[in-house]
Amino acid sequence: MCGIVGYIGTQAASDILLAGLRKLEYRGYDSAGVATLLEGEVHCVRAKGKLQNLQDKMEGFENPAQVGIGHTRWATHGKPEEYNAHPHMDTKRRIAVVLNGIIENFRELREELKTKNHEFRSDTDAEVIPHLIAEFLSHLPADHPAPFLEATRLAVNKLKGAFALAMINADYPDELIAVRQQAPLAIGLGQGEFFCASDTPALVTYTRTIVSLENGEMARLTPMGVEVYNFGGDRVKKTPRTLNWNPILVEKQGFKHFMIKEIYEQPGVVRACLEAYVNPDWTAASTAAPINLGFSPDFYENLDQIQIMACGTSWHASLVGRYLLEQLAQIPTQVQYASEFKYAPPPLVPNVLTVGVTQSGETADTLAALEMEKQRRHAKGGAYQPKLLGLTNRTDSSIGRLVDHLLDTQAGIEIGVAATKTFTAQLMGFYFLALDLAYRRQTLSNSRLEEIINGLRQLPAQIESILEVQERYVEQLAHRFTDTQDFIFLGRGINFPIALEGALKLKEISYIHAEGYPSGEMKHGPIALLDEKVPVVAIAMPGIVYEKALSNAQEAKARDARLIGVTPMGDQEAAEVFDDLLPVPMVEELLSPILTVIPLQFLAYHIAARRGLDVDQPRNLAKSVTVE
Ligand code: AGP
């Protein structure tokens, strides 16, 4: 969740570190800090609050140091105060360390170190690390060939938890050490300069040649190059890879916020998905397959059930995925909250495909659930062998290294903390997976497949039409709700997860309490909440649940709730029921989630913007949740 950057080379490190932190601020933003090696000392500057506060503090000081580390924090242990901000140092202030993750055994370590006269200055778990390294350093023989690296190796072997680290040492000014254990860390290879970062946006301005560390690996960066070792001290050979995504994705390009820019990127993302996975010439008369996901034949063999692991918005996308996989491909599908799965896994059944869905590719709960499933299936073997698919826009992330198959949702990196384009991209991924399986299992006729695929092809232009006509209207409508305290979102069938998603978007960025319910559940309790102060947003798209969804909306209206309808354009029946309409093009219900979510994203965005809130960096949240 925190952001880490490190630099060693020939340029002024502090400028590069600040620029890198700016790109990583979406990972955490309650305090920040930078440490460089200057005139034989560690020069450390830290500030509470946004990165701008740190930048203001560093303003006007020409710092020529060519090695340093930086950090932007999402607090786990210790309040977001300057004294808890990273980097943290040992008693003699020679070693500076930044941490992303959690050190579970920090209390025991701190007590032990205190008995050896180490002085602690913060409430954090991170602070034990420089002290521990200093302690090991003090016991190494004077002629040890690589004392800083060795002391770090000994220290990390004592740490329990999930962590990524970067550190410098005033006594070893030509070294920067980076460590990975269950939290992401990438090394960037430049010309005579080297970088590390917890996410690649911090690197792409300088280099696209990357080495990803695996769990249990550490790297020594010097001005001469990078060496990677495992925690046992053995040298590990790594093959660099080239990032192929466009750095423009991490710029706002004239938009006020990343979130609104990413909302507008959705037609392009859906188009990219169609281009990547749909056979362009396919018709019902074709003999070739309509969808090509690039999976090997073994992917499709022995597949009786699907289980999906995800969190948050990705969990909502997975609920739509379940609907599609069950209704189109007739495969029984379960959706698990990854954070719950680990502590109450269901009994193992054979021939299961496990799908992990994540926009960051780094969500600790999702990775842990997938890892556990992999282990227990390996242990049982035979028909229980793991078959893991990752559905993500970040194929370069940790999930990419954990699963056997990847479906790239083509959304690229997303910066706004509230997921928008990655959600629609995940939905597209599920459409293709379900249609591919339906074709291979022959659960849909070719003419029905053609109908659905043609419908999918219309979606980019249909999203564009919503974006064109609706934003100003939603902006106006949002004014009414700046003081509203509670919202209810209703949807049925395939649009129930969209109601959940609409409520989550609003909660996350506007801090308004909102709940999503299946429309038919209203009368079983939540209806008691309704009065004229609680607006109800109801999704009602023609299909098997249309009439029912409209009557559920009427029930809310009868309790004086202000009714906002996400309904098909030009629908007279709907116009009579709702107070305000957020119309979307008429499509069949099966395809409607890709359209019905757009007005809900707009609504959340404009209410939050109207309330003057920090849309891209809402309080208490982080884009990648890398702690369990
Ligand atoms: C989405 O708007 C949220 N920020 C959050 O719920 C997110 O979807 C969740 O943390 C899962 O993240 P992931 O997709 O990166 O795994």
Side-chain angles (χ1 to χ4, degrees):
M1 338 235 329
C2 306
I4 289 180
V5 280
Y7 174 79
I8 188 161
T10 51
Q11 303 187 58
S14 57
D15 296 344
I16 291 173
L17 296 173
L18 271 178
L21 289 178
R22 185 67 63 226
K23 294 284 193 307
L24 293 183
E25 205 181 4
Y26 67 94
R27 295 180 72 92
Y29 30 83
D30 55 41
S31 55
V34 157
T36 49
L37 294 184
L38 190 62
E39 295 166 0
E41 306 285 332
V42 175
H43 180 261
C44 186
V45 189
R46 304 182 296 177
K48 181 182 168 177
K50 290 288 186 77
L51 187 58
Q52 189 58 47
N53 300 349
L54 178 70
Q55 196 162 339
D56 293 346
K57 254 184 149 174
M58 291 169 70
E59 199 71 48
F61 176 61
E62 284 294 319
N63 183 346
Q66 294 171 342
V67 54
I69 52 177
H71 189 263
T72 173
R73 181 169 185 244
W74 186 88
T76 56
H77 294 80
K79 285 184 166 181
E81 296 292 343
E82 186 179 321
Y83 67 90
N84 284 330
H86 301 214
H88 289 286
M89 287 192 268
D90 64 313
T91 311
K92 293 183 182 158
R93 298 177 188 269
R94 305 300 291 167
I95 303 165
V97 175
V98 290
L99 157 75
N100 170 25
I102 290 181
I103 307 302
E104 288 164 4
N105 57 338
F106 83 100
R107 283 189 189 81
E108 303 129 65
L109 292 171
R110 190 165 59 182
E111 289 318 305
E112 193 184 321
L113 287 159
K114 274 185 185 168
T115 64
K116 294 175 180 161
N117 299 325
H118 289 266
E119 286 166 26
F120 285 82
R121 308 176 187 101
S122 79
D123 308 325
T124 65
D125 51 346
E127 198 187 354
V128 295
I129 303 166
H131 290 278
L132 198 56
I133 296 170
E135 184 59 30
F136 278 116
L137 262 174
S138 69
H139 291 104
L140 285 178
D143 59 349
H144 194 286
F148 183 30
L149 183 71
E150 178 61 3
T152 303
R153 188 186 74 77
L154 293 169
V156 295
N157 276 295
K158 293 256 295 183
L159 303 178
K160 291 196 182 121
F163 50 86
L165 310 170
M167 62 198 76
I168 50 175
N169 185 331
D171 297 320
Y172 303 92
D174 288 338
E175 293 179 41
L176 187 160
I177 296 179
V179 179
R180 177 191 165 124
Q181 176 63 4
Q182 311 283 358
L185 201 66
I187 309 293
L189 310 181
Q191 298 287 333
E193 56 181 2
F194 301 94
F195 311 79
C196 68
S198 45
D199 203 354
T200 46
L203 304 178
V204 283
T205 317
Y206 307 102
T207 178
R208 291 203 204 172
T209 311
I210 304 292
V211 166
S212 292
L213 293 185
E214 299 300 327
N215 292 333
E217 288 182 351
M218 50 198 288
R220 174 162 65 171
L221 286 64
T222 71
M224 307 305 293
V226 175
E227 303 146 14
V228 178
Y229 299 85
N230 62 26
F231 284 7
D234 305 316
R235 186 89 186 255
V236 180
K237 193 167 160 27
K238 306 289 282 189
T239 311
R241 62 197 171 85
T242 307
L243 288 177
N244 59 3
W245 56 269
N246 189 341
I248 210 86
L249 287 172
V250 294
E251 305 295 339
K252 281 197 202 135
Q253 294 179 280
F255 284 90
K256 192 164 177 211
H257 296 104
F258 278 108
M259 182 178 173
I260 192 74
K261 175 191 169 225
E262 287 156 356
I263 289 175
Y264 274 90
E265 279 171 3
Q266 291 176 107
V269 169
V270 173
R271 237 173 233 124
C273 283
L274 287 159
E275 275 165 26
Y277 299 123
V278 179
N279 177 345
D281 308 318
W282 195 83
T283 65
S286 307
T287 47
I291 307 292
N292 181 5
L293 300 178
F295 299 153
S296 49
D298 64 306
F299 177 83
Y300 301 95
E301 285 162 13
N302 304 325
L303 206 175
D304 296 338
Q305 253 194 53
I306 295 180
Q307 65 175 346
I308 310 176
M309 322 272 199
C311 303
T313 286
S314 297
W315 189 80
H316 298 157
S318 305
L319 294 181
V320 176
R322 176 176 65 191
Y323 186 102
L324 297 170
L325 291 162
E326 291 191 336
Q327 302 308 314
L328 301 181
Q330 303 295 315
I331 305 177
T333 303
Q334 294 181 15
V335 181
Q336 309 279 1
Y337 276 121
S339 56
E340 291 290 314
F341 176 85
K342 212 172 143 190
Y343 303 98
L348 283 178
V349 287
N351 302 328
V352 172
L353 168 68
T354 303
V355 185
V357 183
T358 166
Q359 61 77 31
S360 62
E362 302 292 353
T363 298
D365 287 320
T366 305
L367 296 178
L370 291 174
E371 184 64 53
M372 177 181 166
E373 190 61 0
K374 193 172 179 173
Q375 303 286 345
R376 67 178 189 144
R377 285 189 172 275
H378 262 311
K380 188 134 182 165
Y384 296 85
Q385 281 293 349
K387 186 187 285 182
L388 263 58
L389 166 67
L391 201 140
T392 183
N393 42 302
R394 297 297 304 272
T395 51
D396 57 334
S397 65
S398 297
I399 196 173
R401 295 191 289 279
L402 184 64
V403 297
D404 347 282
H405 299 88
L406 268 175
L407 204 168
D408 181 351
T409 64
Q410 309 288 330
I413 190 168
E414 186 175 69
I415 303 292
V417 164
T420 51
K421 66 170 179 171
T422 54
F423 176 72
T424 41
Q426 289 169 352
L427 296 189
M428 289 304 287
F430 276 119
Y431 280 104
F432 297 133
L433 182 63
L435 290 173
D436 190 25
L437 291 169
Y439 174 78
R440 288 165 191 270
R441 299 162 77 92
Q442 301 188 335
T443 53
L444 288 181
S445 67
N446 271 14
S447 57
R448 178 65 181 131
L449 274 166
E450 186 173 1
E451 201 171 56
I452 298 173
I453 290 170
N454 284 343
L456 288 171
R457 287 191 173 119
Q458 309 303 317
L459 289 173
Q462 289 168 333
I463 304 172
E464 267 156 7
S465 74
I466 305 175
L467 297 175
E468 263 163 41
V469 300
Q470 214 172 80
E471 194 184 356
R472 281 225 37 89
Y473 177 71
V474 179
E475 198 177 352
Q476 297 296 324
L477 184 67
H479 291 191
R480 286 180 194 274
F481 304 119
T482 42
D483 296 323
T484 302
Q485 295 193 348
D486 303 280
F487 258 88
I488 301 281
F489 288 75
L490 302 178
R492 288 192 86 132
I494 197 167
N495 274 304
F496 162 52
I498 303 302
L500 293 177
E501 177 59 8
L504 179 66
K505 285 289 88 90
L506 190 66
K507 277 187 268 210
E508 278 189 300
I509 58 170
S510 72
Y511 317 146
I512 294 174
H513 170 246
E515 298 294 339
Y517 285 102
S519 319
E521 278 297 301
M522 270 297 286
K523 55 189 175 295
H524 298 292
I527 201 161
L529 296 170
L530 296 187
D531 61 22
E532 72 289 350
K533 291 198 227 81
V534 182
V536 173
V537 181
I539 306 164
M541 292 300 285
I544 47 170
V545 290
Y546 182 55
E547 292 302 333
K548 289 263 186 323
L550 283 185
S551 29
N552 297 143
Q554 299 267 25
E555 289 156 16
K557 194 171 184 177
R559 272 82 191 170
D560 296 328
R562 184 170 191 92
L563 266 192
I564 302 154
V566 179
T567 56
M569 273 169 198
D571 187 316
Q572 261 316 307
E573 200 179 348
E576 282 160 26
V577 174
F578 293 98
D579 299 306
D580 302 287
L581 289 173
L582 299 176
V584 299
M586 172 74 94
V587 287
E588 69 163 296
E589 196 179 20
L590 185 83
L591 303 177
S592 64
I594 298 269
L595 302 183
T596 53
V597 74
I598 310 281
L600 305 189
Q601 295 171 345
F602 265 156
L603 190 67
Y605 173 79
H606 281 294
I607 293 177
R610 181 74 196 165
R611 286 163 78 111
L613 298 170
D614 191 342
V615 172
D616 284 334
Q617 295 176 351
R619 69 184 181 201
N620 307 338
L621 296 177
K623 187 69 177 162
S624 299
V625 185
T626 54
V627 290
E628 280 183 60

